Amino acid sequence: LMRELAPFAQAQSPSWKATCESRLPPTAIEVKTAPAPIRFTNHRRVAELTSVQKLPHKGFRTLGLTEMRLGTSIDSRSPSLTHPNEALACARPHITVTLSLDPHVVSVASEFPEGGCAHRHISEHEMRHVKVNQHTLDDTAARMRQGLLSSFENKVFYGTPAELEARFNRHIRDEWLPWVEAQMRHTLQLHREIDTPQEYARNRTACNGEIARVLDAMR
């Protein structure tokens, strides 16, 4: 996790560089996750959920589905020093990145009304998917912070104040956010390890066969 970001190559006077090195506060990077409420829905039927999920196992139907969207925000408030004789500034980045999963939606098929055994059984299964998503996001935030610290180190960057802010934000947006999205996509394999054929078979015996009776009636 090393994406190099070099300071601007403009030649700076030794005295100006020394001033920047000594007076600027050190690089500060924070990557955090924002808790998002889990929304529960019960309005889509089995057929609709199955068409959305595109199951890897043929012949199985989707009883519940967990969906999420990755949200990101970048807060860059990097203190800078302005060159006394030129339209230049120097800065070390002070950046906070916030990652969130919002909306994070758990759907149970409408054939299984809220309050029933089948609804509880399916919801408990979906909460395992929720935990995978949340754990992955927390782990990704920690790894991203270490990677950004390696990228920026304690270097001083030079440019106009607008250029500096745009450059820091662009580095995170173009180099790091695609990596974050890829980490969340990698959870697909973890989700498949939850949605095994054995788990689908267990649904047929759950709640004294309630789920099996509903599915059989749909044939």
Side-chain angles (χ1 to χ4, degrees), residues 64-109:
L65 183 62
T66 297
E67 299 164 287
M68 57 84 181
R69 184 177 64 214
L70 177 67
T72 59
S73 68
I74 305 170
D75 183 11
S76 176
R77 301 184 184 183
S78 305
S80 62
L81 296 176
T82 303
H83 194 287
N85 303 318
E86 301 177 42
L88 277 177
C90 59
R92 288 189 177 105
H94 282 216
I95 296 170
T96 299
V97 180
T98 304
L99 307 178
S100 64
L101 299 178
D102 191 13
H104 206 176
V105 181
V106 172
S107 298
V108 175

mmCIF file of all heavy atoms in Angstrom, residues 64-109:
data_model
loop_
_atom_site.group_PDB
_atom_site.id
_atom_site.type_symbol
_atom_site.label_atom_id
_atom_site.label_comp_id
_atom_site.label_asym_id
_atom_site.label_seq_id
_atom_site.Cartn_x
_atom_site.Cartn_y
_atom_site.Cartn_z
ATOM 1 N N GLY A 64 -33.662 -13.236 1.775
ATOM 2 C CA GLY A 64 -33.260 -11.961 2.363
ATOM 3 C C GLY A 64 -32.055 -11.427 1.622
ATOM 4 O O GLY A 64 -31.337 -12.176 0.949
ATOM 5 N N LEU A 65 -31.831 -10.145 1.717
ATOM 6 C CA LEU A 65 -30.746 -9.519 0.961
ATOM 7 C C LEU A 65 -30.201 -8.325 1.737
ATOM 8 O O LEU A 65 -30.980 -7.524 2.273
ATOM 9 C CB LEU A 65 -31.269 -9.055 -0.405
ATOM 10 C CG LEU A 65 -30.256 -8.443 -1.379
ATOM 11 C CD1 LEU A 65 -29.186 -9.454 -1.756
ATOM 12 C CD2 LEU A 65 -30.976 -7.947 -2.628
ATOM 13 N N THR A 66 -28.867 -8.227 1.800
ATOM 14 C CA THR A 66 -28.211 -7.081 2.428
ATOM 15 C C THR A 66 -27.540 -6.256 1.343
ATOM 16 O O THR A 66 -26.732 -6.785 0.566
ATOM 17 C CB THR A 66 -27.184 -7.536 3.472
ATOM 18 O OG1 THR A 66 -27.861 -8.242 4.511
ATOM 19 C CG2 THR A 66 -26.446 -6.351 4.082
ATOM 20 N N GLU A 67 -27.873 -4.982 1.264
ATOM 21 C CA GLU A 67 -27.311 -4.092 0.258
ATOM 22 C C GLU A 67 -26.705 -2.866 0.942
ATOM 23 O O GLU A 67 -27.206 -2.415 1.969
ATOM 24 C CB GLU A 67 -28.414 -3.630 -0.707
ATOM 25 C CG GLU A 67 -29.075 -4.766 -1.458
ATOM 26 C CD GLU A 67 -30.386 -4.355 -2.102
ATOM 27 O OE1 GLU A 67 -31.374 -4.171 -1.360
ATOM 28 O OE2 GLU A 67 -30.413 -4.202 -3.329
ATOM 29 N N MET A 68 -25.619 -2.375 0.378
ATOM 30 C CA MET A 68 -24.979 -1.189 0.955
ATOM 31 C C MET A 68 -24.352 -0.366 -0.154
ATOM 32 O O MET A 68 -24.095 -0.845 -1.246
ATOM 33 C CB MET A 68 -23.933 -1.591 2.000
ATOM 34 C CG MET A 68 -22.840 -2.503 1.527
ATOM 35 S SD MET A 68 -21.456 -1.635 0.730
ATOM 36 C CE MET A 68 -20.399 -3.023 0.299
ATOM 37 N N ARG A 69 -24.107 0.896 0.167
ATOM 38 C CA ARG A 69 -23.397 1.793 -0.744
ATOM 39 C C ARG A 69 -22.280 2.459 0.034
ATOM 40 O O ARG A 69 -22.491 2.926 1.160
ATOM 41 C CB ARG A 69 -24.353 2.838 -1.323
ATOM 42 C CG ARG A 69 -23.669 3.758 -2.364
ATOM 43 C CD ARG A 69 -24.677 4.723 -2.964
ATOM 44 N NE ARG A 69 -25.201 5.633 -1.957
ATOM 45 C CZ ARG A 69 -26.440 6.105 -1.951
ATOM 46 N NH1 ARG A 69 -27.299 5.728 -2.876
ATOM 47 N NH2 ARG A 69 -26.842 6.949 -1.012
ATOM 48 N N LEU A 70 -21.107 2.506 -0.553
ATOM 49 C CA LEU A 70 -19.952 3.126 0.092
ATOM 50 C C LEU A 70 -20.025 4.636 -0.042
ATOM 51 O O LEU A 70 -20.184 5.166 -1.142
ATOM 52 C CB LEU A 70 -18.661 2.609 -0.543
ATOM 53 C CG LEU A 70 -17.364 3.215 -0.022
ATOM 54 C CD1 LEU A 70 -17.127 2.801 1.425
ATOM 55 C CD2 LEU A 70 -16.187 2.779 -0.891
ATOM 56 N N GLY A 71 -19.948 5.323 1.087
ATOM 57 C CA GLY A 71 -19.900 6.779 1.087
ATOM 58 C C GLY A 71 -18.547 7.258 1.593
ATOM 59 O O GLY A 71 -17.976 6.656 2.508
ATOM 60 N N THR A 72 -18.029 8.314 0.988
ATOM 61 C CA THR A 72 -16.729 8.850 1.406
ATOM 62 C C THR A 72 -16.802 10.372 1.463
ATOM 63 O O THR A 72 -17.501 11.004 0.678
ATOM 64 C CB THR A 72 -15.605 8.466 0.422
ATOM 65 O OG1 THR A 72 -15.926 8.974 -0.882
ATOM 66 C CG2 THR A 72 -15.438 6.956 0.341
ATOM 67 N N SER A 73 -16.094 10.952 2.405
ATOM 68 C CA SER A 73 -15.934 12.405 2.446
ATOM 69 C C SER A 73 -14.488 12.714 2.828
ATOM 70 O O SER A 73 -13.860 11.966 3.583
ATOM 71 C CB SER A 73 -16.894 13.047 3.444
ATOM 72 O OG SER A 73 -16.555 12.692 4.766
ATOM 73 N N ILE A 74 -13.974 13.799 2.267
ATOM 74 C CA ILE A 74 -12.591 14.224 2.504
ATOM 75 C C ILE A 74 -12.616 15.632 3.081
ATOM 76 O O ILE A 74 -13.165 16.552 2.469
ATOM 77 C CB ILE A 74 -11.768 14.209 1.200
ATOM 78 C CG1 ILE A 74 -11.819 12.833 0.535
ATOM 79 C CG2 ILE A 74 -10.316 14.616 1.481
ATOM 80 C CD1 ILE A 74 -11.235 12.824 -0.870
ATOM 81 N N ASP A 75 -12.030 15.792 4.246
ATOM 82 C CA ASP A 75 -11.937 17.107 4.888
ATOM 83 C C ASP A 75 -10.459 17.485 4.947
ATOM 84 O O ASP A 75 -9.691 16.915 5.715
ATOM 85 C CB ASP A 75 -12.541 17.055 6.292
ATOM 86 C CG ASP A 75 -12.523 18.421 6.973
ATOM 87 O OD1 ASP A 75 -12.247 19.431 6.288
ATOM 88 O OD2 ASP A 75 -12.772 18.470 8.187
ATOM 89 N N SER A 76 -10.061 18.416 4.083
ATOM 90 C CA SER A 76 -8.662 18.832 3.995
ATOM 91 C C SER A 76 -8.526 20.242 4.556
ATOM 92 O O SER A 76 -9.051 21.201 3.979
ATOM 93 C CB SER A 76 -8.191 18.784 2.543
ATOM 94 O OG SER A 76 -6.873 19.256 2.430
ATOM 95 N N ARG A 77 -7.860 20.344 5.685
ATOM 96 C CA ARG A 77 -7.626 21.662 6.299
ATOM 97 C C ARG A 77 -6.140 21.799 6.622
ATOM 98 O O ARG A 77 -5.748 21.965 7.773
ATOM 99 C CB ARG A 77 -8.477 21.811 7.559
ATOM 100 C CG ARG A 77 -9.975 21.672 7.282
ATOM 101 C CD ARG A 77 -10.812 21.912 8.500
ATOM 102 N NE ARG A 77 -12.230 21.677 8.249
ATOM 103 C CZ ARG A 77 -13.197 21.870 9.127
ATOM 104 N NH1 ARG A 77 -12.900 22.309 10.343
ATOM 105 N NH2 ARG A 77 -14.446 21.619 8.826
ATOM 106 N N SER A 78 -5.346 21.710 5.600
ATOM 107 C CA SER A 78 -3.899 21.679 5.783
ATOM 108 C C SER A 78 -3.359 23.085 6.029
ATOM 109 O O SER A 78 -3.507 23.977 5.184
ATOM 110 C CB SER A 78 -3.231 21.075 4.542
ATOM 111 O OG SER A 78 -3.780 19.806 4.268
ATOM 112 N N PRO A 79 -2.718 23.304 7.174
ATOM 113 C CA PRO A 79 -2.119 24.623 7.431
ATOM 114 C C PRO A 79 -0.986 24.889 6.452
ATOM 115 O O PRO A 79 -0.233 23.984 6.093
ATOM 116 C CB PRO A 79 -1.609 24.506 8.872
ATOM 117 C CG PRO A 79 -1.461 23.045 9.120
ATOM 118 C CD PRO A 79 -2.485 22.356 8.278
ATOM 119 N N SER A 80 -0.873 26.123 5.991
ATOM 120 C CA SER A 80 0.149 26.462 4.998
ATOM 121 C C SER A 80 0.845 27.767 5.375
ATOM 122 O O SER A 80 0.343 28.551 6.181
ATOM 123 C CB SER A 80 -0.474 26.588 3.603
ATOM 124 O OG SER A 80 -1.436 27.626 3.583
ATOM 125 N N LEU A 81 2.001 27.971 4.767
ATOM 126 C CA LEU A 81 2.740 29.228 4.891
ATOM 127 C C LEU A 81 2.837 29.851 3.497
ATOM 128 O O LEU A 81 3.096 29.158 2.519
ATOM 129 C CB LEU A 81 4.148 28.981 5.433
ATOM 130 C CG LEU A 81 4.267 28.409 6.845
ATOM 131 C CD1 LEU A 81 5.736 28.146 7.172
ATOM 132 C CD2 LEU A 81 3.660 29.360 7.867
ATOM 133 N N THR A 82 2.641 31.143 3.430
ATOM 134 C CA THR A 82 2.680 31.847 2.147
ATOM 135 C C THR A 82 4.060 32.451 1.933
ATOM 136 O O THR A 82 4.643 33.047 2.847
ATOM 137 C CB THR A 82 1.619 32.964 2.102
ATOM 138 O OG1 THR A 82 0.339 32.378 2.345
ATOM 139 C CG2 THR A 82 1.597 33.646 0.741
ATOM 140 N N HIS A 83 4.592 32.274 0.696
ATOM 141 C CA HIS A 83 5.898 32.833 0.355
ATOM 142 C C HIS A 83 5.826 34.364 0.424
ATOM 143 O O HIS A 83 4.853 34.963 -0.045
ATOM 144 C CB HIS A 83 6.294 32.388 -1.055
ATOM 145 C CG HIS A 83 7.730 32.615 -1.373
ATOM 146 N ND1 HIS A 83 8.250 33.874 -1.613
ATOM 147 C CD2 HIS A 83 8.773 31.745 -1.488
ATOM 148 C CE1 HIS A 83 9.533 33.764 -1.875
ATOM 149 N NE2 HIS A 83 9.880 32.483 -1.804
ATOM 150 N N PRO A 84 6.832 35.023 1.007
ATOM 151 C CA PRO A 84 6.760 36.488 1.163
ATOM 152 C C PRO A 84 6.790 37.252 -0.157
ATOM 153 O O PRO A 84 6.262 38.376 -0.232
ATOM 154 C CB PRO A 84 7.997 36.817 2.008
ATOM 155 C CG PRO A 84 8.920 35.658 1.826
ATOM 156 C CD PRO A 84 8.057 34.453 1.616
ATOM 157 N N ASN A 85 7.399 36.673 -1.218
ATOM 158 C CA ASN A 85 7.572 37.440 -2.457
ATOM 159 C C ASN A 85 6.916 36.795 -3.675
ATOM 160 O O ASN A 85 6.971 37.361 -4.763
ATOM 161 C CB ASN A 85 9.066 37.636 -2.760
ATOM 162 C CG ASN A 85 9.777 38.332 -1.615
ATOM 163 O OD1 ASN A 85 9.244 39.285 -1.040
ATOM 164 N ND2 ASN A 85 10.959 37.851 -1.271
ATOM 165 N N GLU A 86 6.329 35.621 -3.520
ATOM 166 C CA GLU A 86 5.743 34.926 -4.666
ATOM 167 C C GLU A 86 4.361 34.397 -4.282
ATOM 168 O O GLU A 86 4.021 34.285 -3.109
ATOM 169 C CB GLU A 86 6.634 33.752 -5.098
ATOM 170 C CG GLU A 86 8.045 34.154 -5.501
ATOM 171 C CD GLU A 86 8.879 32.927 -5.855
ATOM 172 O OE1 GLU A 86 8.343 32.032 -6.530
ATOM 173 O OE2 GLU A 86 10.045 32.863 -5.427
ATOM 174 N N ALA A 87 3.578 34.079 -5.324
ATOM 175 C CA ALA A 87 2.233 33.525 -5.097
ATOM 176 C C ALA A 87 2.329 32.022 -4.838
ATOM 177 O O ALA A 87 1.734 31.204 -5.538
ATOM 178 C CB ALA A 87 1.348 33.807 -6.299
ATOM 179 N N LEU A 88 3.125 31.684 -3.860
ATOM 180 C CA LEU A 88 3.363 30.288 -3.527
ATOM 181 C C LEU A 88 3.093 30.062 -2.048
ATOM 182 O O LEU A 88 3.166 30.983 -1.237
ATOM 183 C CB LEU A 88 4.817 29.897 -3.828
ATOM 184 C CG LEU A 88 5.177 29.519 -5.260
ATOM 185 C CD1 LEU A 88 6.670 29.232 -5.354
ATOM 186 C CD2 LEU A 88 4.383 28.294 -5.714
ATOM 187 N N ALA A 89 2.820 28.813 -1.727
ATOM 188 C CA ALA A 89 2.654 28.421 -0.331
ATOM 189 C C ALA A 89 3.294 27.047 -0.152
ATOM 190 O O ALA A 89 3.601 26.353 -1.119
ATOM 191 C CB ALA A 89 1.184 28.374 0.053
ATOM 192 N N CYS A 90 3.498 26.686 1.101
ATOM 193 C CA CYS A 90 3.977 25.347 1.411
ATOM 194 C C CYS A 90 3.049 24.757 2.475
ATOM 195 O O CYS A 90 2.450 25.490 3.272
ATOM 196 C CB CYS A 90 5.431 25.372 1.891
ATOM 197 S SG CYS A 90 5.713 26.391 3.362
ATOM 198 N N ALA A 91 2.927 23.444 2.471
ATOM 199 C CA ALA A 91 2.003 22.805 3.411
ATOM 200 C C ALA A 91 2.393 21.352 3.628
ATOM 201 O O ALA A 91 2.973 20.715 2.742
ATOM 202 C CB ALA A 91 0.575 22.886 2.907
ATOM 203 N N ARG A 92 2.078 20.866 4.812
ATOM 204 C CA ARG A 92 2.025 19.427 5.065
ATOM 205 C C ARG A 92 0.545 19.073 5.227
ATOM 206 O O ARG A 92 -0.187 19.802 5.897
ATOM 207 C CB ARG A 92 2.797 19.048 6.333
ATOM 208 C CG ARG A 92 4.312 19.140 6.204
ATOM 209 C CD ARG A 92 4.982 18.530 7.422
ATOM 210 N NE ARG A 92 6.442 18.537 7.309
ATOM 211 C CZ ARG A 92 7.238 19.365 7.975
ATOM 212 N NH1 ARG A 92 6.710 20.274 8.804
ATOM 213 N NH2 ARG A 92 8.544 19.302 7.820
ATOM 214 N N PRO A 93 0.111 17.955 4.637
ATOM 215 C CA PRO A 93 -1.329 17.669 4.647
ATOM 216 C C PRO A 93 -1.885 17.373 6.034
ATOM 217 O O PRO A 93 -1.268 16.669 6.835
ATOM 218 C CB PRO A 93 -1.445 16.436 3.736
ATOM 219 C CG PRO A 93 -0.082 15.856 3.673
ATOM 220 C CD PRO A 93 0.889 16.977 3.851
ATOM 221 N N HIS A 94 -3.038 17.934 6.326
ATOM 222 C CA HIS A 94 -3.868 17.611 7.492
ATOM 223 C C HIS A 94 -5.230 17.204 6.928
ATOM 224 O O HIS A 94 -6.014 18.056 6.503
ATOM 225 C CB HIS A 94 -4.003 18.812 8.428
ATOM 226 C CG HIS A 94 -2.809 19.030 9.288
ATOM 227 N ND1 HIS A 94 -2.893 19.476 10.588
ATOM 228 C CD2 HIS A 94 -1.478 18.854 9.037
ATOM 229 C CE1 HIS A 94 -1.670 19.570 11.104
ATOM 230 N NE2 HIS A 94 -0.796 19.207 10.174
ATOM 231 N N ILE A 95 -5.499 15.916 6.898
ATOM 232 C CA ILE A 95 -6.653 15.407 6.161
ATOM 233 C C ILE A 95 -7.405 14.384 7.010
ATOM 234 O O ILE A 95 -6.792 13.532 7.667
ATOM 235 C CB ILE A 95 -6.206 14.749 4.833
ATOM 236 C CG1 ILE A 95 -5.567 15.816 3.926
ATOM 237 C CG2 ILE A 95 -7.376 14.073 4.117
ATOM 238 C CD1 ILE A 95 -4.881 15.247 2.709
ATOM 239 N N THR A 96 -8.725 14.484 6.973
ATOM 240 C CA THR A 96 -9.583 13.471 7.581
ATOM 241 C C THR A 96 -10.466 12.872 6.498
ATOM 242 O O THR A 96 -11.166 13.608 5.789
ATOM 243 C CB THR A 96 -10.471 14.076 8.686
ATOM 244 O OG1 THR A 96 -9.641 14.613 9.716
ATOM 245 C CG2 THR A 96 -11.389 13.018 9.286
ATOM 246 N N VAL A 97 -10.404 11.563 6.349
ATOM 247 C CA VAL A 97 -11.262 10.837 5.403
ATOM 248 C C VAL A 97 -12.285 10.050 6.229
ATOM 249 O O VAL A 97 -11.913 9.365 7.180
ATOM 250 C CB VAL A 97 -10.450 9.885 4.508
ATOM 251 C CG1 VAL A 97 -11.371 9.141 3.543
ATOM 252 C CG2 VAL A 97 -9.376 10.647 3.740
ATOM 253 N N THR A 98 -13.537 10.162 5.862
ATOM 254 C CA THR A 98 -14.594 9.424 6.549
ATOM 255 C C THR A 98 -15.249 8.450 5.570
ATOM 256 O O THR A 98 -15.684 8.857 4.485
ATOM 257 C CB THR A 98 -15.663 10.373 7.117
ATOM 258 O OG1 THR A 98 -15.030 11.330 7.973
ATOM 259 C CG2 THR A 98 -16.706 9.603 7.914
ATOM 260 N N LEU A 99 -15.283 7.179 5.954
ATOM 261 C CA LEU A 99 -15.915 6.132 5.146
ATOM 262 C C LEU A 99 -17.212 5.708 5.837
ATOM 263 O O LEU A 99 -17.264 5.600 7.056
ATOM 264 C CB LEU A 99 -14.990 4.916 5.005
ATOM 265 C CG LEU A 99 -13.568 5.166 4.500
ATOM 266 C CD1 LEU A 99 -12.788 3.845 4.468
ATOM 267 C CD2 LEU A 99 -13.588 5.799 3.117
ATOM 268 N N SER A 100 -18.220 5.451 5.047
ATOM 269 C CA SER A 100 -19.500 5.024 5.629
ATOM 270 C C SER A 100 -20.191 4.043 4.692
ATOM 271 O O SER A 100 -19.885 3.969 3.494
ATOM 272 C CB SER A 100 -20.409 6.229 5.883
ATOM 273 O OG SER A 100 -20.743 6.858 4.657
ATOM 274 N N LEU A 101 -21.116 3.301 5.246
ATOM 275 C CA LEU A 101 -21.993 2.423 4.468
ATOM 276 C C LEU A 101 -23.412 2.946 4.649
ATOM 277 O O LEU A 101 -24.063 2.669 5.651
ATOM 278 C CB LEU A 101 -21.894 0.975 4.962
ATOM 279 C CG LEU A 101 -20.520 0.323 4.865
ATOM 280 C CD1 LEU A 101 -20.555 -1.081 5.435
ATOM 281 C CD2 LEU A 101 -20.022 0.300 3.424
ATOM 282 N N ASP A 102 -23.848 3.729 3.697
ATOM 283 C CA ASP A 102 -25.153 4.362 3.854
ATOM 284 C C ASP A 102 -25.736 4.601 2.465
ATOM 285 O O ASP A 102 -25.136 5.316 1.665
ATOM 286 C CB ASP A 102 -25.012 5.682 4.613
ATOM 287 C CG ASP A 102 -26.336 6.262 5.045
ATOM 288 O OD1 ASP A 102 -27.337 5.534 4.984
ATOM 289 O OD2 ASP A 102 -26.364 7.438 5.446
ATOM 290 N N PRO A 103 -26.857 3.965 2.124
ATOM 291 C CA PRO A 103 -27.669 3.142 3.022
ATOM 292 C C PRO A 103 -27.125 1.728 3.172
ATOM 293 O O PRO A 103 -26.452 1.213 2.278
ATOM 294 C CB PRO A 103 -29.028 3.112 2.324
ATOM 295 C CG PRO A 103 -28.692 3.253 0.873
ATOM 296 C CD PRO A 103 -27.498 4.155 0.807
ATOM 297 N N HIS A 104 -27.390 1.133 4.313
ATOM 298 C CA HIS A 104 -27.074 -0.269 4.605
ATOM 299 C C HIS A 104 -28.427 -0.918 4.893
ATOM 300 O O HIS A 104 -28.989 -0.726 5.955
ATOM 301 C CB HIS A 104 -26.141 -0.349 5.816
ATOM 302 C CG HIS A 104 -25.298 -1.576 5.836
ATOM 303 N ND1 HIS A 104 -24.343 -1.811 6.794
ATOM 304 C CD2 HIS A 104 -25.254 -2.663 5.026
ATOM 305 C CE1 HIS A 104 -23.748 -2.962 6.569
ATOM 306 N NE2 HIS A 104 -24.295 -3.498 5.505
ATOM 307 N N VAL A 105 -28.947 -1.643 3.923
ATOM 308 C CA VAL A 105 -30.337 -2.089 3.952
ATOM 309 C C VAL A 105 -30.417 -3.612 4.052
ATOM 310 O O VAL A 105 -29.766 -4.322 3.283
ATOM 311 C CB VAL A 105 -31.089 -1.620 2.689
ATOM 312 C CG1 VAL A 105 -32.549 -2.075 2.730
ATOM 313 C CG2 VAL A 105 -31.008 -0.107 2.545
ATOM 314 N N VAL A 106 -31.194 -4.091 4.994
ATOM 315 C CA VAL A 106 -31.485 -5.516 5.141
ATOM 316 C C VAL A 106 -32.930 -5.744 4.732
ATOM 317 O O VAL A 106 -33.848 -5.186 5.345
ATOM 318 C CB VAL A 106 -31.251 -6.006 6.580
ATOM 319 C CG1 VAL A 106 -31.757 -7.440 6.752
ATOM 320 C CG2 VAL A 106 -29.767 -5.926 6.938
ATOM 321 N N SER A 107 -33.118 -6.536 3.668
ATOM 322 C CA SER A 107 -34.466 -6.836 3.190
ATOM 323 C C SER A 107 -34.808 -8.291 3.486
ATOM 324 O O SER A 107 -33.993 -9.182 3.260
ATOM 325 C CB SER A 107 -34.573 -6.607 1.676
ATOM 326 O OG SER A 107 -34.336 -5.257 1.346
ATOM 327 N N VAL A 108 -36.004 -8.515 3.994
ATOM 328 C CA VAL A 108 -36.563 -9.850 4.133
ATOM 329 C C VAL A 108 -37.767 -9.924 3.210
ATOM 330 O O VAL A 108 -38.570 -8.988 3.148
ATOM 331 C CB VAL A 108 -36.969 -10.142 5.594
ATOM 332 C CG1 VAL A 108 -37.665 -11.508 5.699
ATOM 333 C CG2 VAL A 108 -35.747 -10.095 6.502
ATOM 334 N N ALA A 109 -37.873 -11.018 2.455
ATOM 335 C CA ALA A 109 -38.955 -11.140 1.479
ATOM 336 C C ALA A 109 -40.317 -10.965 2.151
ATOM 337 O O ALA A 109 -40.533 -11.418 3.285
ATOM 338 C CB ALA A 109 -38.873 -12.490 0.781
#
